[in-house]
Amino acid sequence: MNKVKAAVFASGNGSNFEAIMKHEKLACDVVLLVCDKPGASVIEKASSYSVQTFVLNPEDFESKGKYEEEILIKLEQEGVEWIFLAGYMRIAGETLLHAYERKIMNIHPSLLPAFPGKDAIGQAFRAGVAVTGVTVHFIDEGVDTGPIIAQEQVEIFPEDTEELLKIRIQKVEHVLYPTVINSILLSDKME
Ligand code: GRF
């Protein structure tokens, strides 16, 4: 049976993209990587998994709406039903949110609602909290504010450095994200 088609949106390194691709029993086919940063490492990673890449520079568009319309055309051409944001450093606008309502997930390196936005790991580290973590959530028009699907805690030790904490957080992300993707896709199929 054909699997549902998905796109990953990423701007940077792509370790979460890779974790999704490496999952042995992923319940969807990742048919597209959308990237807003020409030259980002994730583009090469996608090529190594033979995933088609769609790279755009938002600065080439007169508005966020126009930029997202271009993406939307591509998503529709490829039959994409689900979008997984994995280090996509942009807030989705109305165009995408409307076309993919409750079909766009994001992973964020903190226990939301704590430490939303950029540098969540650094924010938690500097705040001196004993526990931070990872959140997978549906997106809405806010910054890391959509409905939470799953969270996992990560302890911060007294002898920790920000770099060590980041490594542990990403290790958790790489297991949590594909697992949550699979369970949401499964429950969506049952509905
Ligand atoms: C991850 O920590 C993710 O939680 C955040 O951006 C980072 C992306 O890392 N949204 P990578 O590009 O997947 O390595």
Side-chain angles (χ1 to χ4, degrees), residues 12-17 86-89 106-109 121 170 173:
N13 187 33
S15 70
N16 280 283
F17 167 80
Y88 180 64
M89 303 304 286
N106 181 42
I107 184 150
H108 183 79
I121 298 172
Q170 288 224 311
E173 290 188 330

Side-chain angles (χ1 to χ4, degrees), residues 4-9 16-17 19-21 23 25-30 82-86 103-107 136-138 149-150 173-189:
V4 63
K5 291 180 182 169
V8 174
F9 284 34
N16 280 283
F17 167 80
I20 292 168
M21 295 312 298
H23 194 278
K25 289 192 175 142
L26 197 69
C28 59
D29 276 331
V30 176
W82 280 88
I83 297 172
F84 308 127
L85 308 184
K103 298 274 185 181
I104 310 179
M105 276 185 231
N106 181 42
I107 184 150
V136 179
H137 64 101
F138 288 114
I149 306 166
E173 290 188 330
H174 298 161
V175 178
L176 186 68
Y177 207 9
T179 307
V180 171
I181 287 171
N182 271 2
S183 65
I184 291 289
L185 292 182
L186 195 71
S187 62
D188 189 56
K189 220 165 96 179

Side-chain angles (χ1 to χ4, degrees), residues 1-182:
M1 213 172 71
N2 281 345
K3 288 183 185 171
V4 63
K5 291 180 182 169
V8 174
F9 284 34
S11 310
N13 187 33
S15 70
N16 280 283
F17 167 80
E18 192 154 32
I20 292 168
M21 295 312 298
K22 276 190 175 159
H23 194 278
E24 280 177 8
K25 289 192 175 142
L26 197 69
C28 59
D29 276 331
V30 176
V31 296
L32 192 68
L33 169 80
V34 175
C35 180
D36 62 331
K37 286 266 157 53
S41 312
V42 67
I43 299 168
E44 258 180 50
K45 290 201 172 91
S47 305
S48 74
Y49 285 93
S50 304
V51 171
Q52 188 189 161
T53 57
F54 191 60
V55 184
L56 310 87
N57 185 349
E59 287 170 16
D60 294 340
F61 297 84
E62 67 189 42
S63 65
K64 182 183 262 194
K66 294 270 182 236
Y67 162 73
E68 290 193 343
E69 273 167 30
E70 184 91 1
I71 295 175
L72 205 55
I73 292 169
K74 183 69 181 167
L75 295 173
E76 282 168 3
Q77 273 170 2
E78 301 303 327
V80 168
E81 285 183 47
W82 280 88
I83 297 172
F84 308 127
L85 308 184
Y88 180 64
M89 303 304 286
R90 230 157 250 290
I91 311 300
E94 249 175 53
T95 310
L96 275 175
L97 284 169
H98 182 71
Y100 285 88
E101 207 188 334
R102 281 272 175 156
K103 298 274 185 181
I104 310 179
M105 276 185 231
N106 181 42
I107 184 150
H108 183 79
S110 77
L111 294 176
L112 291 172
F115 311 120
K118 284 186 186 158
D119 190 25
I121 298 172
Q123 288 185 55
F125 189 76
R126 289 188 295 275
V129 293
V131 177
T132 184
V134 175
T135 302
V136 179
H137 64 101
F138 288 114
I139 64 158
D140 63 12
E141 61 289 341
V143 180
D144 303 318
T145 49
I148 291 172
I149 306 166
Q151 293 188 302
E152 191 167 325
Q153 295 191 347
V154 175
E155 240 184 291
I156 304 183
F157 305 119
E159 67 279 14
D160 247 337
T161 62
E162 206 179 307
E163 289 67 34
L164 287 174
L165 177 61
K166 183 177 174 191
I167 291 169
R168 291 204 313 285
I169 285 188
Q170 288 224 311
K171 223 168 146 185
V172 169
E173 290 188 330
H174 298 161
V175 178
L176 186 68
Y177 207 9
T179 307
V180 171
I181 287 171
N182 271 2

